[in-house]
Amino acid sequence: MALLATTNAAALIRRSRSWNTLFLWLYFGSYMLSALHAQQNPDSTEKKFAIAIHGGAGGDPSKWSSEYQSQRRTGLQAALDHGVALLEKRADALDVVEAVVRILEDDATFNAGRGCVLNENGEHELDASIMDGRNLQCGAVAAVKRAKNPVSLARLVMTQTKHVLLIGSGADQFGEATGVEQAEPDYFLTEQRKASWQKWKLGDKDALLHAPSTHKGEDEQLYLGTVGCVVLDVHGNLAAATSTGGLMGKRWGRVGDSPIVGAGNYADNETCAISGTGIGEEFIRRAVASDIAARMRYGHNTLAEAVTGTLTTMPAESGGVIAVDARGNVVMEFNTPGMSRATADSLGNRGVWLGRND
Ligand code: ASP
């Protein structure tokens, strides 16, 4: 082979009428060789998997106690490690986002599943959704009270009904009928959340809602701790899942963006997977997740351009998103002082952050 190449090169030099022709041949040869290499190693410059998770936007992490900060970091790290372990075993993106969100739902630090915030009546109403980027299949539940892991109930809506979104007692009955794990109200409502609700009830609610989050402590946040996960798996598929207790003191029956496909959650292999967190009404008004995907699809934006473009249309301190595209690019952006988040990929990049830089 080497001999053949040398002979060919010598013949080429002899045949070249000028140095220019020789250089042209050399350039063409090296171009063909690199094209052949790229074809044989399609993943050589691409990430094989990527995962991002969030534990809610809002609040100023520098105002939180170090104990609360470390609870959040530990929770995110545990969920991230589990997701990475599954992805290394070639798990499907859809299974990974469900498994990761279940872990965060079980962790009372976050506002999803156990430890969710309470509505104006002091009760819990949970929203969740999940989406498969392979085929745009999706499932969601809103204002449910009984499923221990609302994200798994959302997945059953996707796989066992011909619908996309079930709400309230209808969704809870469906959960019981399908055998999804049930829990009593006391499981969801922790002492800490009950105490913040009491504070909310006695406080000046309007001031709390409109005061900059930098003025509020960890137990005064109206929306803090929604969880979400977006994944690109080794098969090249995207998925997204989001789960929340919504906003503290929300009107009963209120549904946020988390279970609204295209607002707080979205996945499409052709563009990206997105999970949002923040004031749900602002996400629904702007169809935030769908807007980001549309900027990529029709405007040919990169993921980073699309996320920035959409977030600039949002009011200050209204939230943030995590997103991953089909090449494994991860973007985690927010217009609040902090967004608890973590990411990892198959190239070994890893990180957990609460505020802008730490
Ligand atoms: N987006 C959620 C909602 O409005 C709250 C959050 O992200 O913290 O229900």
Side-chain angles (χ1 to χ4, degrees):
M1 186 70 181
L3 187 66
L4 193 67
T6 322
T7 322
N8 282 349
L12 185 66
I13 290 167
R14 257 181 274 117
R15 268 187 240 128
S16 299
R17 273 187 275 138
S18 72
W19 284 104
N20 281 354
T21 319
L22 175 64
F23 283 131
L24 263 176
W25 275 104
L26 286 173
Y27 179 77
F28 179 69
S30 70
Y31 173 80
M32 291 305 285
L33 275 175
S34 65
L36 188 67
H37 176 77
Q39 200 186 355
Q40 284 168 348
N41 305 282
D43 285 336
S44 59
T45 56
E46 293 194 5
K47 295 170 187 172
K48 291 202 186 81
F49 68 72
I51 175 170
I53 64 182
H54 72 74
D60 182 354
S62 66
K63 299 267 185 304
W64 301 343
S65 64
S66 52
E67 191 197 345
Y68 185 64
Q69 289 185 16
S70 84
Q71 268 174 24
R72 291 194 143 250
R73 285 185 201 281
T74 309
L76 290 169
Q77 189 69 58
L80 186 73
D81 290 348
H82 188 69
V84 169
L86 290 174
L87 286 163
E88 281 171 346
K89 287 187 213 140
R90 307 183 60 77
D92 285 337
L94 195 65
D95 293 332
V96 176
V97 294
E98 183 188 359
V100 166
V101 167
R102 282 179 66 100
I103 289 176
L104 295 166
E105 285 176 339
D106 291 347
D107 184 337
T109 311
F110 299 99
N111 171 21
R114 181 168 158 72
C116 60
V117 300
L118 284 59
N119 68 11
E120 61 181 352
N121 298 337
E123 292 171 349
H124 64 293
E125 290 176 303
L126 307 174
D127 299 342
S129 64
I130 190 164
M131 186 155 182
D132 187 343
R134 285 176 291 202
N135 46 22
L136 305 185
Q137 289 295 309
C138 47
V141 291
V144 294
K145 292 180 167 214
R146 305 272 309 153
K148 176 177 161 282
N149 293 103
V151 71
S152 295
L153 184 56
R155 185 164 178 180
L156 288 171
V157 171
M158 173 174 110
T159 54
Q160 296 194 19
T161 78
K162 53 182 193 289
H163 309 301
V164 163
L165 172 62
L166 294 184
I167 62 160
S169 54
D172 276 326
Q173 276 175 27
F174 168 72
E176 255 173 75
T178 48
V180 87
E181 193 175 352
Q182 306 284 291
E184 294 301 320
D186 277 355
Y187 167 80
F188 298 101
L189 305 182
T190 60
E191 289 311 313
Q192 204 241 336
R193 291 295 191 196
K194 284 185 200 161
S196 349
W197 181 79
Q198 289 293 351
K199 206 167 168 180
W200 169 82
K201 191 92 183 140
L202 297 171
D204 178 349
K205 298 174 190 101
D206 223 38
L208 194 58
L209 184 60
H210 297 296
S213 54
T214 37
H215 294 179
K216 299 173 199 162
E218 67 207 39
D219 60 344
E220 290 172 300
Q221 299 303 321
L222 293 176
Y223 64 100
L224 181 62
T226 290
V227 304
C229 179
V230 294
V231 161
L232 165 71
D233 68 21
V234 296
H235 315 289
N237 295 314
L238 298 174
T242 307
S243 181
T244 188
L247 306 184
M248 168 71 87
K250 65 186 178 183
R251 199 183 172 98
W252 72 268
R254 177 262 190 192
V255 174
D257 59 315
S258 310
I260 306 298
V261 176
N265 201 69
Y266 194 70
D268 178 1
N269 276 6
E270 287 185 17
T271 52
C272 58
I274 301 159
S275 171
T277 169
I279 301 172
E281 285 72 9
E282 303 296 357
F283 281 71
I284 295 172
R285 284 186 185 112
R286 290 169 185 78
V288 163
S290 157
D291 190 58
I292 292 169
R295 284 170 193 264
M296 293 182 74
R297 180 187 290 272
Y298 306 117
H300 308 292
N301 280 192
T302 64
L303 181 67
E305 289 165 348
V307 167
T308 307
T310 300
L311 280 188
T312 46
T313 70
M314 304 276 291
E317 295 210 13
S318 52
V321 301
I322 54 168
V324 62
D325 70 14
R327 295 178 72 84
N329 296 306
V330 168
V331 174
M332 304 185 290
E333 202 38 76
F334 47 98
N335 64 15
T336 42
M339 179 171 81
S340 302
R341 61 203 185 281
T343 185
D345 65 33
S346 51
L347 299 179
N349 298 310
R350 296 268 186 290
V352 177
W353 301 265
L354 304 181
R356 203 140 280 283
N357 302 310
D358 59 350

